[in-house]
Amino acid sequence: MAEASWILTWATLIQAILFAALLAHPRQSASFANRILLALLLVFAIEKSDQVFLASGAVLNHPQFAMIGNLFGALIAPLTYFHIRARIDPGTRLGWRQAWAFLPFAALVLYAIATYHRLDLAAQRALFETAAILNPVNTLIIPLAGDAVSLSFLGAAIWALIQHDKRARNWFSTIENRTLSGLRTVLALMAGIIAIHFLWTLTGSSGIGVALNLGHLLLINALTIGALTAQADTAEAAVAANTTGRSPTDEQAAVLARADALLREDRLYQDPDLTVARLARRLGLPQRQLSEAINQCAGVNFHTFVNTARIDAAKAALRHGPSQTVLDIAFANGFNSKSTFNEAFRKLTGQTPSQFRAQDGIDA
């Protein structure tokens, strides 16, 4: 093992153990997503321990402990996927219906038993001494099959995050920090690791092996930091039904009119943390009914619905409040930053706030 790869392996092993100990604290382990992550970190620790074991040469003295890390490595992709699912939906749980995700791991265990662990110690040692363990099945077919499986879990995780981002716009009036953007880093790292592992399988290059170890180190850091800093932003909102394509009813039109009037007359749009659940409570309606009315009658999500009221109020302030800065107007109307205000204003008017104000003959 090259020196850099050795250092990265040990660093990943130590960090995985330390992060696992941190997540084992009762305060952190109360979250199901964190319990999945704890299991994932222990899997990383086992895999890296196996790499150290093989590189140290101790495998010749204790061949019965070899090949274990490779088995547990097959759990990395499904555990990462379920951690992401649990971050997206805190109600996620593992049951018999999710057993399919662990079938590749079970198949690998059966293969290892049939071809290696059922042998006596002398036969196991001989496989390493003669390098017969490095046959095409072990060094090419199984790793490439593992990459294919990992790629499928990556695709499933990306799809789940895309769907969550769509739902977030039906739940919240302000979506900054609510679209789990940190998970995009995790998904990018997963994609990079799969690509690097594919190249390493084909070439065996030590340089690519270093990159693979670095990817593992970055992944466990991204996962743990994201989990520890995660905002529980979906706790009060249920999944909004996708009702696009249906004709709006008179009842829905009436609900939309009431919601719009309350939003504007009581200036609820000024609350940057306004959610569809809170507005529905003010109206005395089920959240789902309000969400459907907005989707069907206005043809937009909740985020755009509220931002329209905010921008209308901002336009009036830009026309009649020359002493107010653009940033003051943004904050007064429920936006958390000038950049978010500018983006929303441009999307709905085709202009920036400064351009709109200048058009009306008022200096920005």
Side-chain angles (χ1 to χ4, degrees), residues 35 50 60 101 156 161 176 190 206 233 272 283 285 296 306 333-334 340:
R35 293 199 295 273
D50 186 64
L60 295 179
L161 188 58
E176 293 78 26
M190 285 180 65
S206 59
D233 52 23
L283 291 166
L285 296 172
Q296 291 300 105
V306 176
N333 289 285
T340 303

Side-chain angles (χ1 to χ4, degrees), residues 58-323:
V59 64
L60 295 179
N61 295 324
H62 304 284
Q64 69 271 29
F65 299 123
M67 310 298 289
I68 295 177
N70 286 338
L71 299 179
F72 280 90
L75 292 173
I76 290 176
L79 288 177
T80 303
Y81 166 72
F82 284 117
H83 169 71
I84 291 173
R85 282 292 305 273
R87 286 276 306 279
I88 291 172
D89 178 8
T92 298
R93 291 294 182 269
L94 290 180
W96 285 110
R97 293 176 119 185
Q98 289 74 41
W100 58 267
F102 302 98
L103 291 178
F105 169 70
L108 196 58
V109 170
L110 292 176
Y111 170 78
I113 293 173
T115 62
Y116 183 81
H117 290 289
R118 70 178 183 82
L119 303 176
D120 59 33
L121 293 181
Q124 290 176 345
R125 186 177 296 110
L127 288 175
F128 284 95
E129 290 175 338
T130 62
I133 195 74
L134 302 176
N135 59 64
V137 173
N138 291 339
T139 61
L140 187 64
I141 295 176
I142 290 178
L144 292 180
D147 288 340
V149 171
S150 297
L151 197 59
S152 67
F153 279 110
L154 174 63
I158 291 173
W159 176 251
L161 188 58
I162 289 173
Q163 295 303 110
H164 168 78
D165 286 354
K166 290 180 179 179
R167 291 192 296 266
R169 286 166 171 78
N170 279 325
W171 294 342
F172 306 107
S173 61
T174 301
I175 60 173
E176 293 78 26
N177 301 321
R178 297 190 186 276
T179 54
L180 302 175
S181 57
L183 289 181
R184 289 177 173 78
T185 301
V186 171
L187 294 174
L189 285 170
M190 285 180 65
I193 289 171
I194 293 170
I196 292 169
H197 187 267
F198 175 77
L199 293 175
W200 182 72
T201 299
L202 295 181
T203 67
S205 167
S206 59
I208 296 177
V210 171
L212 183 61
N213 279 313
L214 178 60
H216 288 163
L217 179 62
L218 294 175
L219 179 61
I220 67 169
N221 276 272
L223 284 166
T224 306
I225 292 172
L228 295 177
T229 59
Q231 179 177 349
D233 52 23
T234 59
E236 65 176 7
V239 175
N242 182 4
T243 58
T244 57
R246 300 178 188 173
S247 299
T249 65
D250 291 341
E251 181 183 3
Q252 288 176 330
V255 168
L256 179 66
R258 286 179 56 201
D260 190 59
L262 180 64
L263 183 69
R264 294 171 186 268
E265 292 171 6
D266 288 15
R267 298 183 180 181
L268 298 182
Y269 58 80
Q270 293 180 338
D271 178 6
D273 295 320
L274 181 66
T275 66
V276 68
R278 295 180 191 177
L279 182 57
R281 283 197 294 270
R282 288 290 298 269
L283 291 166
L285 296 172
Q287 174 189 325
R288 184 188 186 94
Q289 184 178 356
L290 174 59
S291 180
E292 289 181 352
I294 294 171
N295 295 159
Q296 291 300 105
C297 295
V300 297
N301 53 48
F302 180 73
H303 171 67
T304 302
F305 174 68
V306 176
N307 269 1
T308 300
R310 288 171 174 165
I311 297 303
D312 287 346
K315 288 195 295 187
L318 288 166
R319 288 192 184 103
H320 307 299
S323 62

